[in-house]
Amino acid sequence: MAEISNEEYSKEMLDDLEKYFIQYYDSFKNGYNATEGGDNNPNRSQKGEKNGRALLSKEDVIYIRECYNAHIPFKQIYEEYKDKISKRGLQKIWWFETWKDIYPEYHSEENKYWHSHQAKANSSEVAANNKRKFSDEEVIQMRLDYDNGLSPKEVWLKYAPNVAWSTVYNIVTRQSYKDIK
């Protein structure tokens, strides 16, 4: 694949190429492009509510960030906003990819750790309420067999051929039941 260097193409030339291909493929009116391309898009440099594509208000984002800081799980907040914004759009706010100027101090290592580990791990208390399919002992034994060389499919056939294969795969690869070591 050819690499483009700054010496070969100017910003203006790349803007013109972007406009040309968006027009050529009609991807502004009949596609996924939100603008006609180039750097002269007035919405491109706007932030927050001034961005014409913003789906949430500043107050919404403040509330979302306060929930993040209060260790309320993403899933709960998404339920409140799923009629306003896509899951990915909310994730971008949640993980401080957008609206970076609102409570940046909440994006602390402690909060990042909690949301990437604790919120996703089924705690024993939550798991008891959710009536887990497998006991801690079963999960530990499945993982031991996997760690000792059985394939995920072999573990599945041995312990749980009546459940979805992906369920056992997620257990042995530690993507679920994260609270069990």
Side-chain angles (χ1 to χ4, degrees):
M1 182 172 191
E3 194 172 304
I4 298 175
S5 70
N6 288 341
E7 295 83 37
E8 293 180 68
Y9 296 98
S10 67
K11 173 100 173 82
E12 293 76 23
M13 182 183 280
L14 292 173
D15 283 345
D16 289 341
L17 282 169
E18 180 183 28
K19 289 178 195 174
Y20 170 79
F21 282 108
I22 289 172
Q23 184 178 5
Y24 178 82
Y25 288 106
D26 193 25
S27 60
F28 173 62
K29 292 180 184 170
N30 297 304
Y32 291 106
N33 283 89
T35 71
E36 294 178 353
D39 202 27
N40 60 355
N41 171 23
N43 288 335
R44 181 172 269 179
S45 61
Q46 299 297 317
K47 292 183 178 180
E49 292 173 319
K50 293 178 184 174
N51 182 322
R53 295 173 53 200
L55 299 173
L56 301 178
S57 68
K58 184 175 182 178
E59 288 74 29
D60 288 327
V61 176
I62 289 170
Y63 171 74
I64 290 165
R65 292 284 163 77
E66 288 171 346
C67 291
Y68 177 90
N69 194 50
H71 295 173
I72 296 171
F74 174 83
K75 195 183 283 189
Q76 185 176 333
I77 302 308
Y78 178 64
E79 283 302 312
E80 292 181 44
Y81 285 93
K82 68 182 180 185
D83 295 333
K84 282 183 147 183
I85 191 169
S86 70
K87 189 172 190 176
R88 179 63 186 128
L90 186 61
Q91 285 173 332
K92 285 181 173 185
I93 295 168
W94 194 253
W95 293 112
F96 292 77
E97 294 172 34
T98 58
W99 296 81
K100 295 177 183 183
D101 58 321
I102 296 180
Y103 292 130
E105 65 273 17
Y106 289 174
H107 201 218
S108 66
E109 290 304 315
E110 175 195 346
N111 282 341
K112 287 190 278 187
Y113 181 85
W114 192 90
H115 284 287
S116 64
H117 292 80
Q118 300 303 116
K120 292 180 181 178
N122 289 327
S123 70
S124 299
E125 182 180 302
V126 172
N129 293 334
N130 289 338
K131 298 183 180 127
R132 288 179 148 176
K133 288 186 187 283
F134 300 103
S135 68
D136 290 6
E137 294 76 24
E138 289 171 314
V139 170
I140 290 167
Q141 190 57 54
M142 284 187 229
R143 288 179 177 166
L144 277 173
D145 284 354
Y146 173 71
D147 292 343
N148 288 326
L150 285 184
S151 71
K153 198 156 259 184
E154 290 169 321
V155 174
W156 170 65
L157 290 171
K158 182 176 178 181
Y159 292 98
N162 58 331
V163 300
W165 177 82
S166 60
T167 301
V168 174
Y169 177 83
N170 288 335
I171 290 170
V172 298
T173 58
R174 293 162 172 81
Q175 295 177 51
S176 63
Y177 291 79
K178 291 181 179 183
D179 60 307
I180 301 172
K181 301 295 177 203

